[in-house]
């Protein structure tokens, strides 16, 4: 059974983007990026909301830029090798290979995918991930807590849902970012 994993880079007060939609404070440095690459390497399928997909689609052509550092080339290969499912009522066509567009989030289809996939599955951003969490489909969380308070914006976790967590691991980076790895217990 594949795991469904939600990963997000969040401010200390729990937002992935501030009230203006700005998230430049979340850009991972080389140390954090190297760690993220190793977490993402086993992922076979990314389930995306349209907003997160539009940001991540950058990686479809990232190899065309000259003189990319190794950590960026590594992530480019990881992302391009995985399948993607974009959820959107507005996106006409995906701009990347190995990508299909779904018009709705279907918990039963995700349940089936978990049962049949040989590799783990990732879900993001938080609007889509919140639906997967609320449906009881998410097994683990990876939160990268960035030392900044932004005062409002897009929350990293959904409202109106309550669940228990077991802390599986934590890691402190030189930048002050802290990685928290949780299993959802109930
Ligand atoms: N902190 C970071 O590291 C980081 C990284 C990248 C991006 N961000 C930012 O974080 C924010 C994430 O926002 P978000 O949580 O709204 O993003 P999201 O979950 O990726 O995307 C939301 C969009 O997904 C589609 N969607 C969601 N549920 C759906 C459903 N049940 N059926 C069909 N379509 C569905 C809708 O697209 P349609 O409107 O097309 O229907 C919806 O507007 C963005 O501002 C993004 O730029 C942060």
């Amino acid at each position: 059974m594949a795991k469904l994993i939600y990963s997000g880079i969040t401010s200390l007060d729990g937002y992935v983007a501030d009230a203006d939609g700005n998230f430049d404070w979340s850009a991972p440095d080389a140390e954090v990026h190297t760690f993220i690459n190793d977490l993402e390497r086993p992922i076979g399928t990314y389930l995306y909301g349209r907003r997160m997909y539009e940001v991540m689609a950058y990686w479809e052509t990232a190899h065309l830029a000259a003189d990319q550092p190794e950590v960026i080339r590594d992530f480019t290969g990881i992302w391009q090798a995985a399948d993607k499912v974009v959820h959107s009522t507005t996106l006409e066509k995906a701009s990347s290979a190995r990508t299909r567009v779904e018009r709705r989030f279907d918990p039963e289809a995700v349940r089936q995918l978990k049962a049949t996939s040989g590799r783990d599955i990732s879900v993001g951003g938080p609007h889509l991930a919140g639906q997967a969490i609320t449906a009881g489909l998410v097994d683990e969380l990876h939160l990268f807590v960035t030392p900044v308070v932004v005062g409002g914006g897009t929350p990293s976790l959904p409202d109106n849902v309550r669940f228990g967590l077991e802390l599986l691991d934590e890691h402190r980076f030189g930048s002050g970012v802290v990685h928290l790895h949780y299993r959802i217990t109930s």
Side-chain angles (χ1 to χ4, degrees):
M1 177 100 163
K3 284 184 288 194
L4 182 62
I5 299 166
Y6 169 46
S7 301
I9 303 179
T10 172
S11 65
L12 178 63
D13 51 346
Y15 297 99
V16 300
D18 70 20
D20 297 324
N22 184 9
F23 55 95
D24 54 1
W25 46 266
S26 75
D29 66 7
E31 185 191 14
V32 174
H33 219 309
T34 301
F35 189 95
I36 290 174
N37 288 5
D38 290 339
L39 283 183
E40 302 285 298
R41 213 175 300 281
I43 298 298
T45 306
Y46 289 101
L47 307 182
Y48 284 125
R50 192 253 311 158
R51 287 181 198 280
M52 186 58 76
Y53 174 71
E54 285 176 345
V55 174
M56 297 305 289
Y58 162 79
W59 296 100
E60 185 70 2
T61 54
H63 60 284
L64 301 176
D67 299 328
Q68 295 278 30
E70 173 52 27
V71 66
I72 298 298
R73 279 191 276 127
D74 184 29
F75 187 78
T76 303
I78 293 167
W79 196 82
Q80 292 183 359
D83 295 327
K84 297 103 186 164
V85 183
V86 187
H87 298 76
S88 174
T89 60
T90 61
L91 188 70
E92 290 197 358
K93 192 170 170 296
S95 59
S96 52
R98 306 183 68 142
T99 308
R100 68 168 205 274
V101 179
E102 290 286 349
R103 295 291 172 216
R104 55 185 278 267
F105 177 72
D106 179 358
E108 191 45 43
V110 176
R111 217 164 268 128
Q112 282 296 321
L113 183 63
K114 287 178 68 174
T116 55
S117 175
R119 299 175 68 187
D120 285 344
I121 304 157
S122 166
V123 63
H127 182 193
L128 187 75
Q131 296 168 64
I133 290 170
T134 302
L137 290 165
V138 173
D139 302 287
E140 294 184 7
L141 307 179
H142 288 282
L143 296 178
F144 291 83
V145 181
T146 305
V148 63
V149 169
V150 300
T154 307
S156 55
L157 291 169
D159 285 337
N160 301 318
V161 62
R162 188 175 173 139
F163 50 90
L165 296 163
E166 177 190 1
L167 181 64
L168 299 178
D169 199 8
E170 80 282 333
H171 186 92
R172 175 186 171 144
F173 297 90
S175 59
V177 169
V178 176
H179 167 243
L180 299 169
H181 179 195
Y182 292 105
R183 184 172 71 83
I184 293 184
T185 55
S186 54

